[in-house]
Amino acid sequence: MKKFHGLVLIALLTSLIIPFSLAASAETNENGNNVTPTEDKSTDTTKNTITEDPSKTPEPPKEAPKTTEPQKNTTPTTIDITDSAEVYSYEQNDKIDLKDFTDTLTKHTGTKLVNYRLAENSKLNTAEPGIHVLTLLGENEEGKTTAVKLNYLVKEKTAQLTVTDMNFDLETRIFTGKTKPFASVYISSPVDENFGEGVTKADKDGNFYAQWATLPKKIFAYAFDEAGNFSEEVTYEVPTKKENDVVVKAPANVKKIETTNAVKSATAKPTTPKASKEDLPATGDQGVEWIFVLAGVIVILIAILLLRKRKK
């Protein structure tokens, strides 16, 4: 009986201890001190990785519009290559044509256009040196009008002719020199009492001749031809005495340079000076001398009549 009572007592104690142990384990689960939360954390991390992956999946579609494929068929309205290192260049007054630009524009712009033409207010001109801005219009493959803005350089034309071997014969007063065959030569002297100017032409050997009416101190000369080429102006100092004994053989039809303000020759006939306007009476003014003349004539006539009466 004693054993039976002992077993019953143990059973009762056990039934009382188990609920308290379960409650304690529940409290530990809430505070995260048990092993079970580690399993929850691992599951949480898996959940987090799963949620992060879907957020990254939309990125490829966002990058898709950045591809250049859709832009292949589009052409800008205006193509500006004025800042390009490639500059079309000309010399002043050179010939210029639209084909000079259109033949190479595709290379510089990367766009093929057809039916090129000048835009409004755009001109092809090489008269003025400097950078000129030009706008051309054309159509692309889609038929859309596209403008190409570019520039070209006009450089000052350099002298391509020369005037050399100048000489002035003091005896014949013939000025000679050498330049391009058949080129024209403009020659002049300083603007003083011996001023003169004229244009002569070189022969097939490039020699030119001009005979002066007076003896200038300096002669200025430059050459030019029909193609628009020219030389720099050169200055020749006329010697005060004959420098050599070379006889200048000029053609019979040598150019005569007549001076417009030449000093008159000492043997020239003096001209009769004309009466000035001050010496001439004014219009309608006959003077008062005629009154005295008329009075004298009347006195003489009266005297003659009186003498005749006395004689009678």
Side-chain angles (χ1 to χ4, degrees):
M1 287 297 289
K2 292 179 179 179
K3 291 181 181 181
F4 177 75
H5 289 295
L7 292 172
V8 172
L9 183 60
I10 292 169
L12 290 171
L13 293 171
T14 303
S15 62
L16 292 172
I17 292 169
I18 290 173
F20 289 104
S21 63
L22 292 173
S25 63
E27 290 178 0
T28 55
N29 288 336
E30 290 178 359
N31 295 328
N33 294 326
N34 203 348
V35 179
T36 307
T38 57
E39 293 178 359
D40 293 339
K41 288 180 180 179
S42 61
T43 55
D44 289 338
T45 54
T46 54
K47 289 180 181 179
N48 291 334
T49 54
I50 292 171
T51 54
E52 290 175 0
D53 291 340
S55 64
K56 294 180 180 179
T57 52
E59 292 181 0
K62 290 181 180 179
E63 295 177 357
K66 295 181 180 180
T67 57
T68 56
E69 292 181 358
Q71 298 178 359
K72 290 182 179 180
N73 295 328
T74 60
T75 303
T77 305
T78 302
I79 302 174
D80 191 340
I81 59 171
T82 53
D83 295 333
S84 175
E86 177 65 27
V87 178
Y88 299 91
S89 62
Y90 297 85
E91 281 194 349
Q92 195 172 4
N93 298 321
D94 276 357
K95 292 182 180 179
I96 185 171
D97 191 84
L98 190 62
K99 289 184 178 180
D100 299 341
F101 305 96
T102 58
D103 288 346
T104 56
L105 273 183
T106 302
K107 174 184 175 182
H108 301 314
T109 62
T111 303
K112 185 177 180 180
L113 302 176
V114 295
N115 299 327
Y116 279 111
R117 59 194 180 276
L118 290 173
E120 188 177 358
N121 298 328
S122 288
K123 296 180 181 179
L124 297 176
N125 184 15
T126 61
E128 296 295 331
I131 294 292
H132 296 255
V133 179
L134 181 68
T135 302
L136 303 181
L137 301 178
E139 279 78 35
N140 59 10
E141 296 177 353
E142 301 172 354
K144 184 179 179 181
T145 301
T146 301
V148 179
K149 193 175 182 180
L150 53 91
N151 57 28
Y152 63 94
L153 173 66
V154 177
K155 299 180 290 185
E156 289 187 1
K157 199 163 186 177
T158 57
Q160 298 178 350
L161 302 181
T162 58
V163 177
T164 59
D165 302 338
M166 291 178 292
N167 183 56
F168 189 89
D169 192 317
L170 296 176
E171 296 179 1
T172 61
R173 294 178 180 174
I174 293 178
F175 177 64
T176 61
K178 195 174 184 66
T179 187
K180 177 184 175 182
F182 304 112
S184 298
V185 181
Y186 171 81
I187 50 181
S188 65
S189 59
V191 182
D192 56 15
E193 68 275 7
N194 295 325
F195 170 75
E197 63 178 345
V199 177
T200 185
K201 198 165 187 177
D203 59 19
K204 61 182 181 64
D205 298 319
N207 299 313
F208 63 87
Y209 308 87
Q211 188 173 28
W212 292 76
T214 59
L215 186 63
K217 296 178 181 179
K218 295 180 181 179
I219 296 177
F220 310 115
Y222 69 86
F224 59 95
D225 61 12
E226 295 180 353
N229 301 313
F230 60 93
S231 73
E232 299 291 343
E233 184 180 72
V234 294
T235 302
Y236 176 78
E237 299 282 348
V238 177
T240 56
K241 61 180 181 179
K242 192 173 179 65
E243 296 180 339
N244 52 60
D245 297 330
V246 177
V247 178
V248 177
K249 295 180 180 179
N253 57 344
V254 63
K255 174 68 178 181
K256 302 288 185 180
I257 304 299
E258 301 295 338
T259 55
T260 56
N261 296 321
V263 177
K264 294 180 180 179
S265 173
T267 58
K269 295 180 180 180
T271 57
T272 303
K274 296 180 180 179
S276 63
K277 291 183 179 180
E278 296 178 355
D279 297 333
L280 297 176
T283 304
D285 184 9
Q286 303 297 330
V288 294
E289 292 82 359
W290 66 274
I291 297 175
F292 296 101
V293 173
L294 182 60
V297 171
I298 293 173
V299 171
I300 293 170
L301 291 175
I302 293 172
I304 293 171
L305 291 174
L306 291 174
L307 289 173
R308 285 181 177 180
K309 286 181 178 181
R310 286 181 181 182
K311 289 180 179 181
K312 291 179 178 179

